[in-house]
Amino acid sequence: ARPCQGRGREFESRFPLQIQRKRRSYERRFFLRKKRRAMAGGSMKIICVPLSRGAMSRLDTDTCTDADLLDVQLDAEEFEAVWRSGLFTQANRALALNIDEYEDERILGTVQLAAFSALVSACIQACPEVGALLKVEAQVRTALELDTGVYFFF
């Protein structure tokens, strides 16, 4: 058997169609995130809310347009301030998430969004000097109103 050589025909001929599709889907998501980060200056962190259920499904398949999403960007200083506030650590524990500087994560569903909203509100009260928490709160509120989700591309 010849070794797999990435995207070449060797890969496509050795694996079933389902695995090929999953790999292509992963590659599309990876390149979309890479493109978004490059557009954001590389070090920007993006918190994104799809504006409809259709936009959510298009985001999952990487066919969405910029008009489908409401993006908020956090620069390095804002991200660090939000991280120090403890919001992401609390959310990771309470909601079984993995929001991290090198991970992409999403919060879906009214119950999880409401719980995350309560965590954000508590962090705003505890750390009123962190203005970036207000950006996060606005995104969560929008997701709750639209019944979509919040996506973190870090």
Side-chain angles (χ1 to χ4, degrees):
R2 294 183 352 199
C4 175
Q5 296 181 1
R7 294 186 197 165
R9 292 180 189 259
E10 293 83 11
F11 177 83
E12 292 178 3
S13 64
R14 290 184 59 197
F15 294 98
L17 187 59
Q18 184 179 14
I19 293 174
Q20 292 175 32
R21 285 185 185 144
K22 283 183 180 179
R23 183 166 189 264
R24 286 188 192 118
S25 175
Y26 171 78
E27 287 175 348
R28 280 194 303 268
R29 277 184 253 183
F30 173 77
F31 288 116
L32 176 69
R33 290 176 190 141
K34 188 174 178 181
K35 177 183 167 189
R36 285 183 173 278
R37 286 185 182 128
M39 288 172 50
S43 65
M44 300 291 269
K45 312 297 186 194
I46 298 171
I47 301 173
C48 162
V49 174
L51 298 176
S52 67
R53 289 277 185 183
M56 275 179 63
S57 64
R58 286 190 294 277
L59 181 61
D60 286 337
T61 59
D62 295 328
T63 57
C64 63
T65 64
D66 289 338
D68 285 338
L69 307 172
L70 178 62
D71 288 347
V72 167
Q73 299 176 356
L74 301 177
D75 62 26
E77 291 173 6
E78 290 174 321
F79 177 79
E80 186 64 32
V82 173
W83 186 264
R84 282 193 313 262
S85 75
L87 172 64
F88 297 139
T89 305
Q90 291 175 21
N92 288 344
R93 258 189 245 125
L95 303 173
L97 299 173
N98 190 19
I99 301 173
D100 190 319
E101 187 171 1
Y102 301 104
E103 298 292 331
D104 296 338
E105 188 62 82
R106 63 186 177 189
I107 301 175
L108 305 174
T110 307
V111 173
Q112 276 203 322
L113 284 169
F116 186 66
S117 179
L119 290 172
V120 173
S121 296
C123 283
I124 288 173
Q125 289 178 354
C127 304
E129 70 279 0
V130 180
L133 286 170
L134 297 175
K135 291 182 178 182
V136 177
E137 181 185 39
Q139 289 293 82
V140 174
R141 206 177 283 149
T142 302
L144 277 166
E145 289 171 6
L146 299 174
D147 193 27
T148 57
V150 178
Y151 291 73
F152 300 89
F153 295 108
F154 296 162

